[in-house]
Every structure is written in C-alpha cells, then in structure tokens.
Amino acid sequence: MLQLLARNFLGKTPPWYKYTVLGFLILNPLIFFLVSPFVAGWLVLLEFIFILALALQCYPVPAGGLLAIEAAVIGIAKPESIYNEIVANLPTVLLLIFMVAGIYYLKDVLSLIFTKLFLKFRKKWQVSLVFCVVSACTAAFLDALTLLAVLIAVCFNFFAVYHRAAGAYADDPKNQTNNELDEFRGFLRNLIMHSAVGTALGGTLTLVGEPQNLMIGTKMGWSFVEFFEHCGIIAVPVALGGFILCPLLEIFRVPGFGHQLSVRARQLIVNDYEKKARELAGQGVYKYVLQGVVALLLLLALGFHVAEVGLIGLAVIVILSAFTGMTKEHDFAEAFNNAMPFVTLIVIFFAILAVVHDQHLVTPIIRWVLSFEGQMQLLVLYVVNGVMSMVSDSVFVASVFITEMDKLYKAGVFSLDWYQNLATVVNMGTNIPSLGTPNGTAGFLFLLTSALAPLIKLSYFQMLKIMIPYFIVLSSIGGFMVYFFLR
C-alpha cells in the first residue's frame, strides 16, 4: 500500500517535484508553530507561486490545493475567510463558468472573423500589430478573459488544422517536419501573447476594462469620462508604447519573438477557411447568422453592463442551445471542458489570498510606502503595487491598497486631490507592472493553464521570456508618467 501511495501521489510527475511538494507540506506547520504565522503565510504564498511556475509539470490544482487545505487546517487562513474571498469574487467565478463556455458556442463565427483578419496580412509584424490593437480596442469595453477565450479558440483551431494535415507531410524528411512544427508553435505563442498584451493595454483605458478599474472608480465616484480623465494620462502613453513596441519585437527578432508562419502552414489555414466559406449554405448559413446576431447582442450587453458578465454568458448558452437543437445532456459537456479546471484553480487561488488577508502580509508594506512624501510617494506606491501584483492577484492588491487609502483620507491624512492621485497610481500600478508574471493577471493565468498552452509549448518560463521586453518598456513608461506628469 505504501508503494501504491508513493506511486500515485501526484501521478507521473518527476520524483523531485513530489519530494518538493511533500517538503512544503512538512515545513509549513513547523514554521507556523515554531517561528510565526506571518512567516508561514509568506512561505505558503511563495510556494504557490513556485507551483504555478511549474504548471506544465503538474496542473496546479493537486499541489496548490494541498497547500490551501493545509493552510486552513493549521490556521494560517480561516475557512470563513476563504469563503468570503470566494463570495467577494463570485462575479469572476460566474464569468469563468458561463462566459468562457458561452464563447464556445460562438467559436464558429468568431474563428471565421479572426481567420479572415489573420489571412488579410502576410507580414508577421502586421498580423501581430493588428491582433494587439484589435484586442486592446475590444478589451476596453468588454472583458479581457472573454476576449482571451475567443483568441485561444482561434489559435487552437489554427493548430488543429495544421495537426489534422500532418499526414500530408509524410514525404518530407522527419527533421524538416519537426522544425516546421516547432516554428509554427513559436508563431502561435507570439500571436497569442501579443493579443494577451493587447487585452491588458485596452483594459487600463476605461472604467469597465478591468475589475479593479470598476472597483476603484466606484469607490472614488468617477464616471466613465472622469475615470479616463484621471487615468488616461498614464494609460494612453503606455498603450501607445505597447503598440509601437509590438511590431519592433518582430521586425528585430528579439529573443522569444520572430517565429514565422511557413507557406505550407499558411496554405492549410487558407484551405480550411475556404472550405468553411463554401459550406455557408442552408444550415451553415443559419448557424453563422444566428451566432453573428448573438455575438452582436453579447457586445451590446457587455458594453452597457446590463447584468453580471457570467449571467450574460449563461444567456448566450441558453439562446444558442435552444435555437440550434441542442437537447441532450452531453451536448453541453464539451463547452465546459476548458473552463472548469481553471475555475477550480482560481478558487484555490482565493484560498491563498485568504492567507494574505488573515496574516496581514501587506500591512507593513503600506506603512513603508506612506513614509515617503510628494512625487516619490506616488512612484514608490506604483512600484510596490506592481511588484505585489506580480506575485499575488492584481485585483486583491488594488482592493487592499484602496481600502487603506480610503481610511487615511477619511481620517484627514491627505487632501481629496492627493487621494485621487493615489487612487490613480493604485489602479495603474496593479494594471501595468503586473504583466511581468503570468500570475499577475487573471487573463495570463487563464492562458497559461488553458488547453492551448501545452500544444504550443507555452510554459511559465516561456511566457516570462516573451513578456520581459513588454514589462520593462511599459512599466518604465508608466513610472515616468506617474513621477513627472501626475500632479
């Protein structure tokens, strides 16, 4: 039985990974009881980040879940705190369950549209820039996770088209075929990451672009226009910097970029697109028209925020299933395949956030930030928010800091004008530098743990490598604007 237990613990992961996780589970109680709960809290947070970094070795749910359960059992986080974190983030959970699944029902028409856009441009830098800009413009008014779900489906379809036709290369030398496949994977990695950056850039521009935007804007009483007036001075230069940097990375083939789409791979995608275009008759036309109408209604519903995003996604599922004859239980299962593993992971992530909250891990940092004065206080606040968002959750960090700032403002520590500056910096600090790591934003984490990531070999470290130039340039522009132009 012991041999079976050892063999089945974390399945086929490498022995060193199993021993490391087991070491974490042994070490945490010792630190908690013999040193301090505060140190144990930081240790659990760093261990969870380590597990996320090795997501391709083992999906983070088993190992990360064990850390969360242990934290609750020994008292690093209270079960009620974990529950409160989940309740506070219920809109995100609903979004992941229903909107991501709802997008599955629109994948045919969306794939057709993005494929046409993709095939319109032949040069890699042009395709990258178009996807980045279109993603930014869309994410400014819609949800970034929803948009990423669409883009993942599009790239997944590209890979599936290539993979299905692999037999067509049987007469090629084996190495040539493998090299072409590796280059195609690299091309898709670049394309999806440029698009993901676009969603992040667009999300900084408007009140509805990111969850923390709405949260901070609501607390400050800012309207849609007022939010842009306060945050646009930083967000617009950062977005423009991202749009300029995107094609330059491809033109100069910065390490991690420059992978090209081969003529044969492109032709396969063209053939698949033309085949689908020819099938647009009868039932096919009805399906695409119906999906197009529902997609338009989806944009309007999200743009006007008629309901929580997850509930709108549920409405999409209901309408499309009702009018396309989906009447069997198994018809609905496939749509939820991509969403539910990540929903499980994000709930575990909320449990780790409960550790941060219960142990007050960030309280000493906030006190240190406020020890500075003037523009230096704004710059330090920007950097600290960025660093903490890179290792934690940007929405959580924003909620902690804006709550503390609100208490200090009501206590008369600073004026309304300075409070608005601080709120702007908290918002931009959690939006921009958080691009530095995959766990900094929910969208990047969703991409990393999606079904597409292992197919295109997008690991945690690959994502870090690709994001380094974006992180350096965009964070620097943001810091420069905060220090010299935010008055």
Side-chain angles (χ1 to χ4, degrees):
M1 289 300 293
L2 289 176
Q3 289 180 344
L4 288 173
L5 179 64
R7 188 183 309 130
N8 285 282
F9 178 66
L10 298 180
K12 296 181 179 180
T13 55
W16 63 264
Y17 184 91
K18 296 182 180 183
Y19 295 142
T20 302
V21 173
L22 193 60
F24 290 162
L25 297 174
I26 295 172
L27 180 63
N28 292 337
L30 296 177
I31 298 296
F32 179 78
F33 291 110
L34 300 180
V35 182
S36 79
F38 182 83
V39 175
W42 272 108
L43 190 61
V44 168
L45 179 60
L46 294 174
E47 290 166 355
F48 187 71
I49 293 170
F50 171 83
I51 288 169
L52 288 177
L54 296 173
L56 294 186
Q57 291 286 349
C58 174
Y59 193 72
V61 165
L66 287 174
L67 285 180
I69 291 171
E70 183 183 64
V73 169
I74 66 178
I76 303 179
K78 299 174 183 176
E80 53 267 31
S81 298
I82 297 173
Y83 177 76
N84 290 335
E85 287 290 343
I86 296 170
V87 171
N89 290 279
L90 185 59
T92 302
V93 175
L94 289 175
L95 180 150
L96 291 170
I97 295 173
F98 295 117
M99 182 54 79
V100 174
I103 292 301
Y104 175 87
Y105 292 89
L106 297 172
K107 64 184 177 66
D108 295 315
V109 69
L110 291 172
S111 295
L112 203 65
I113 292 170
F114 273 97
T115 302
K116 188 172 183 178
L117 189 64
F118 173 80
L119 295 175
K120 190 175 179 64
F121 302 92
R122 283 187 171 271
K123 293 184 178 180
K124 171 74 177 299
W125 70 266
Q126 293 175 335
V127 176
S128 300
L129 180 60
V130 166
F131 268 63
C132 184
V133 172
V134 170
S135 298
C137 293
T138 309
F141 300 96
L142 306 182
D143 181 77
L145 277 179
T146 304
L147 184 59
L148 266 179
V150 174
L151 293 165
I152 288 171
V154 171
C155 290
F156 196 95
N157 181 63
F158 290 164
F159 188 86
V161 169
Y162 183 93
H163 193 263
R164 282 197 303 268
Y169 301 149
D171 56 336
D172 287 347
K174 187 175 185 297
N175 288 338
Q176 182 179 344
T177 302
N178 287 341
N179 290 337
E180 187 176 61
L181 177 59
D182 289 339
E183 191 71 4
F184 184 59
R185 282 172 168 154
F187 177 87
L188 291 181
R189 280 198 303 271
N190 291 167
L191 187 63
I192 195 66
M193 287 305 298
H194 286 308
S195 303
V197 169
T199 64
L201 294 176
T204 64
L205 292 169
T206 65
L207 183 67
V208 297
E210 292 286 351
Q212 61 262 43
N213 296 13
L214 187 59
M215 177 186 66
I216 292 174
T218 301
K219 185 174 285 291
M220 300 302 298
W222 291 340
S223 66
F224 194 93
V225 174
E226 288 172 334
F227 177 89
F228 185 78
E229 288 175 349
H230 285 285
C231 298
I233 191 171
I234 302 170
V236 171
V238 169
L240 292 176
F243 296 153
I244 294 171
L245 180 61
C246 175
L248 293 179
L249 293 173
E250 297 296 343
I251 292 172
F252 292 103
R253 299 194 174 216
V254 174
F257 296 91
H259 295 282
Q260 299 299 314
L261 181 67
S262 69
V263 175
R264 289 188 295 182
R266 188 179 191 278
Q267 191 58 46
L268 285 172
I269 297 173
V270 170
N271 294 343
D272 181 72
Y273 172 77
E274 292 175 346
K275 179 183 176 182
K276 288 180 178 178
R278 288 193 300 269
E279 291 174 353
L280 285 179
Q283 182 69 19
V285 172
Y286 170 78
K287 179 178 68 174
Y288 283 105
V289 170
L290 179 63
Q291 290 185 13
V293 171
V294 172
L296 180 60
L297 293 175
L298 171 64
L299 291 174
L300 292 173
L302 290 172
F304 289 101
H305 197 68
V306 298
E308 283 294 343
V309 177
L311 298 181
I312 297 173
L314 178 58
V316 170
I317 295 171
V318 171
I319 293 171
L320 286 174
S321 62
F323 288 94
T324 54
M326 299 175 62
T327 57
K328 303 296 183 183
E329 183 180 357
H330 61 78
D331 291 335
F332 297 88
E334 188 175 354
F336 291 89
N337 282 346
N338 287 334
M340 292 313 297
F342 186 69
V343 172
T344 308
L345 176 59
I346 205 73
V347 171
I348 293 171
F349 190 54
F350 295 149
I352 302 301
L353 290 181
V355 172
V356 178
H357 179 78
D358 281 3
Q359 299 305 323
H360 306 287
L361 300 186
V362 300
T363 301
I365 299 173
I366 294 174
R367 291 173 182 166
W368 176 72
V369 168
L370 294 179
S371 67
F372 294 89
E373 296 181 356
Q375 296 303 115
M376 185 56 67
Q377 185 182 93
L378 295 180
L379 183 60
V380 172
L381 180 63
Y382 173 81
V383 173
V384 168
N385 269 264
V387 172
M388 291 188 62
S389 295
M390 288 166 60
V391 300
S392 182
D393 173 68
S394 56
V395 179
F396 173 77
V397 173
S399 67
V400 170
F401 273 84
I402 198 63
T403 300
E404 292 297 321
M405 299 305 167
D406 188 59
K407 291 178 182 177
L408 293 171
Y409 166 68
K410 290 177 179 177
V413 175
F414 36 70
S415 66
L416 176 61
D417 287 341
W418 193 250
Y419 179 35
Q420 290 180 331
N421 283 346
L422 292 172
T424 299
V425 172
V426 169
N427 190 70
M428 292 296 105
T430 53
N431 267 308
I432 299 168
S434 61
L435 298 176
T437 62
N439 45 288
T441 61
F444 283 16
L445 189 59
F446 177 59
L447 173 59
L448 179 66
T449 56
S450 70
L452 177 68
L455 295 179
I456 62 175
K457 295 187 176 180
L458 181 63
S459 65
Y460 189 98
F461 297 106
Q462 274 283 0
M463 192 177 283
L464 278 178
K465 179 181 177 181
I466 292 173
M467 286 308 304
I468 285 174
Y470 274 118
F471 167 70
I472 294 173
V473 173
L474 301 183
S475 297
S476 299
I477 294 173
F480 180 83
M481 298 305 296
V482 165
Y483 189 80
F484 290 103
F485 292 90
L486 189 62
R487 299 292 181 181

